[in-house]
Amino acid sequence: MHLSYRIAVRYFFSRNKRSFISVIARIAMAGVAVGTMAMVVVLSVFNGMEDLNRKIFKTFDADVKVTPAEGKRFKVDPAFIQKIKSVEGVRLVTQVVEDNALAQYGNQQIIIRLKGVDSTFERQGQLDTAIIEGSLKLYGRGGTPYGIIAEGVRNALSISLEDILTPLQLMYPKTGPKTLNLTSSEAFNHLLLRPGGIFFIETRYDDYVIAPIAVVEKLMGYEGERSSLEVQIMPGYKEGRVSRRIAEQLGARFVVRDRDSLNSDLLRAIRLEKLFVAITLSFIILVAAINIFFSLSMLAIEKKKDVSMLYALGATPGLIRRIFLAEGAIVAFSGALAGLGGGILLCLLQLKYGFVSMGMATSLVDAYPVKLIWEDILYTGIIVVIITMLVSYIPARRAAEAGRILPT
């Protein structure tokens, strides 16, 4: 052990238990520990929220989505689909026709988001875990088209899957040069669907109705055009890398985005909140670490004769500074290690038992989600080290200067 640390350890453990300096040192340790633990827990909660949102997006949104750079629809042929499938990592390509439509069930009407998908949609298995009633199927016996309906649409229209006599009627404005009265039924194309399944993810997807692309294409008059293509990638491939390869294949006429890009606004908001909370907690740790400054300052006054004696024995100012810096490091690291251990333990207990609940009956999860990321723990440790070394340097330097004057 280096001489400075040996002396610092001796100062730390040989303090008078009744000394006010010892009380301040222990308050500093407790403050650093609490601040460190709070930062670990809060950062882990933000990580858990981000991970939860990614799981929600994965339930509905495609791994990679292809849309036209201009306009809202584009022509698709087998050669175009094969061009995308030839990209390494692509598993399935689902053709999509999507737009707003008017839905009517009985005497009730609402505006919904109608999404037409081809047969590959059932093979994706994305909505399997979100189906709360019925089944995930696009066609029934005799080729009857089925609709997979969001929970919000079901509640708004009072749809019953057991009622086989009342169909879900979808209406879409006719396109063409002739202007029609939109209050007339002749102004709309009509489509009848039988409700086949109900899914629930979260409120942002509560207005969706998913139906076979053949009937939706006819309803909207797309005639071989598509609004987007949804690509599912193979396990082990990264979405961003595959999306870049597809973009290189298709050129500038198309916009290719992975799932994170599709939900970039929400993910960016979570990361910004996490950053500002981390900065705020860093200031709290700084306030707690100021007690280390006062503890070292008073220790320097108390040990002034000892410092002068060390100078008389040939100690250098650098050695004296290192002694008091080591003293501050012992206090800080003790608190930091206790805080890191306590924070990790709390997160592990929350993961296993979920004792802190969300407090909402409609929440997607019962307890606050947490996710430990070792980079965040390392970041917290570095922040504590930097802050404590900064607050320890000034009293360490003053102790080295004051001790030069030998006592008379």
Side-chain angles (χ1 to χ4, degrees):
M1 185 183 293
H2 195 274
L3 177 61
S4 59
Y5 281 96
R6 293 185 65 178
I7 298 175
V9 169
R10 184 174 180 82
Y11 281 170
F12 181 78
F13 287 105
S14 65
R15 289 176 180 173
N16 188 341
K17 293 184 179 180
R18 297 180 181 179
S19 172
F20 187 63
I21 301 175
S22 298
V23 175
I24 295 178
R26 281 152 181 75
I27 291 174
M29 288 173 58
V32 172
V34 171
T36 304
M37 183 170 60
M39 181 173 285
V40 170
V41 171
V42 171
L43 292 182
S44 298
V45 169
F46 275 102
N47 295 332
M49 294 299 293
E50 183 175 345
D51 192 56
L52 174 62
N53 278 283
R54 289 181 189 276
K55 291 179 180 178
I56 293 172
F57 301 151
K58 192 172 184 178
T59 306
F60 193 87
D61 294 335
D63 295 336
V64 178
K65 189 172 184 178
V66 179
T67 55
E70 296 181 0
K72 58 188 296 186
R73 58 175 74 178
F74 58 97
K75 280 284 185 181
V76 171
D77 55 32
F80 186 83
I81 299 297
Q82 187 58 41
K83 189 176 183 179
I84 298 176
K85 286 183 177 180
S86 65
V87 175
E88 184 183 359
V90 173
R91 178 174 176 266
L92 292 173
V93 179
T94 301
Q95 301 180 47
V96 176
V97 172
E98 184 176 339
D99 205 347
N100 293 329
L102 178 65
Q104 180 174 334
Y105 187 82
N107 296 322
Q108 297 174 299
Q109 294 181 340
I110 61 167
I111 301 296
I112 55 97
R113 189 71 178 172
L114 180 59
K115 181 177 181 178
V117 295
D118 62 22
S119 58
T120 60
F121 181 79
E122 296 177 74
R123 293 161 54 193
Q124 289 184 8
Q126 284 183 280
L127 278 182
D128 290 348
T129 58
I131 296 293
I132 59 175
E133 188 177 346
S135 60
L136 181 65
K137 59 181 179 180
L138 297 174
Y139 287 100
R141 292 180 180 179
T144 303
Y146 276 69
I148 306 167
I149 301 164
E151 173 77 357
V153 176
R154 193 265 290 273
N155 293 337
L157 297 178
S158 302
I159 296 174
S160 173
L161 297 187
E162 299 179 356
D163 184 359
I164 61 174
L165 299 178
T166 306
L168 176 63
Q169 184 176 10
L170 302 176
M171 290 169 277
Y172 189 83
K174 292 181 178 178
T175 58
K178 185 176 180 180
T179 303
L180 298 174
N181 182 5
L182 291 179
T183 60
S184 171
S185 60
E186 297 181 357
F188 295 89
N189 293 325
H190 294 259
L191 167 63
L192 297 181
L193 289 177
R194 180 176 174 181
I198 307 296
F199 72 90
F200 174 73
I201 303 174
E202 66 160 4
T203 54
R204 67 180 292 183
Y205 304 112
D206 265 357
D207 60 344
Y208 270 89
V209 172
I210 301 172
I213 194 170
V215 294
V216 175
E217 177 185 14
K218 184 177 179 181
L219 174 71
M220 298 181 179
Y222 268 54
E223 299 179 354
E225 294 177 311
R226 301 291 181 257
S227 56
S228 65
L229 296 175
E230 296 185 349
V231 180
Q232 186 181 55
I233 66 174
M234 297 178 182
Y237 287 85
K238 293 185 178 180
E239 299 163 5
R241 184 174 299 176
V242 174
S243 68
R244 287 191 293 271
R245 290 173 180 171
I246 296 174
E248 292 172 359
Q249 283 275 14
L250 300 183
R253 291 179 52 243
F254 296 92
V255 177
V256 183
R257 294 180 292 177
D258 58 18
R259 188 183 293 112
D260 283 357
S261 298
L262 291 170
N263 302 282
S264 58
D265 291 341
L266 180 58
L267 294 176
R268 189 183 302 113
I270 293 175
R271 289 165 186 160
L272 283 175
E273 288 181 10
K274 178 182 174 181
L275 174 62
F276 283 114
V277 168
I279 294 173
T280 302
L281 289 174
S282 298
F283 281 110
I284 294 175
I285 294 175
L286 174 61
V287 172
I290 289 177
N291 288 314
I292 298 177
F293 173 86
F294 291 119
S295 172
L296 291 181
S297 297
M298 287 188 286
L299 181 65
I301 296 173
E302 184 182 273
K303 302 296 183 182
K304 187 175 180 180
K305 292 183 179 180
D306 292 354
V307 173
S308 298
M309 183 70 69
L310 288 172
Y311 271 125
L313 293 174
T316 63
L319 175 62
I320 304 301
R321 281 196 299 270
R322 287 194 296 272
I323 291 172
F324 285 89
L325 285 174
E327 179 77 11
I330 291 171
V331 175
F333 288 173
S334 300
L337 289 175
L340 289 174
I344 293 172
L345 179 61
L346 283 177
C347 291
L348 293 176
L349 291 174
Q350 177 69 8
L351 279 172
K352 186 172 183 178
Y353 300 106
F355 54 83
V356 181
S357 65
M358 295 290 286
M360 296 182 293
T362 58
S363 175
L364 294 174
V365 291
D366 296 330
Y368 272 98
V370 294
K371 182 181 180 181
L372 285 167
I373 296 180
W374 297 111
E375 287 81 357
D376 288 340
I377 297 175
L378 179 62
Y379 162 81
T380 303
I382 292 173
I383 288 294
V384 172
V385 169
I386 293 174
I387 289 175
T388 52
M389 289 299 98
L390 287 175
V391 300
S392 301
Y393 180 75
I394 295 178
R397 188 185 66 181
R398 289 179 177 175
E401 294 175 351
R404 287 175 179 273
I405 304 174
L406 295 175
T408 58

